[in-house]
Amino acid sequence: MPDDIDLEALSQCALDDMARVRPVLDKIADKWTILILTVLCPKPSRFNEIKRRLDGITHKALADALKRLERNGLVTRTVLPTAPIGVEYTITPLGHSLRQPFEALCAWALAHGDDIEKAKAAHDRAKAAA
């Protein structure tokens, strides 16, 4: 850890602001939000396109998440004048502002995913041996 960072002060600042921070994190740090916004970041997409790109998401989970993201100002929903009527979702500037932190999180996950799996396996072996 770098010596020039006062970790105690940073920790206390985060705790002091928890009443404001936690509700925001609850809105963006759920199971699907990061992945949905990642799909929408390069271009607007229709519902089924998003669903195809997110292996494992259910229709209901995606519909609920998109409604929540729209309500929170992270995506917009546009009804297309097609037959049958189509709907397209677009990331908003507010949603786009999450790009850099999300990229950092994804990079961290790629860099440390194996470390987490190794730690988990070691923990499970130690528990089983005890």
Side-chain angles (χ1 to χ4, degrees), residues 23-84:
V24 174
L25 291 179
D26 286 346
K27 290 174 180 65
I28 63 169
D30 62 59
K31 184 174 181 177
W32 294 109
T33 295
I34 293 172
L35 296 172
I36 292 168
L37 293 177
T38 300
V39 168
L40 294 176
C41 196
K43 65 181 177 74
S45 299
R46 292 174 76 155
F47 185 93
N48 285 328
E49 182 181 357
I50 299 167
K51 190 171 183 312
R52 275 192 300 276
R53 298 210 38 215
L54 298 177
D55 187 36
I57 193 168
T58 65
H59 184 92
K60 181 178 179 352
L62 180 56
D64 290 349
L66 288 168
K67 286 176 192 171
R68 193 171 50 254
L69 291 170
E70 182 181 14
R71 181 173 183 233
N72 293 323
L74 301 173
V75 302
T76 57
R77 178 182 186 272
T78 304
V79 177
L80 303 173
T82 59

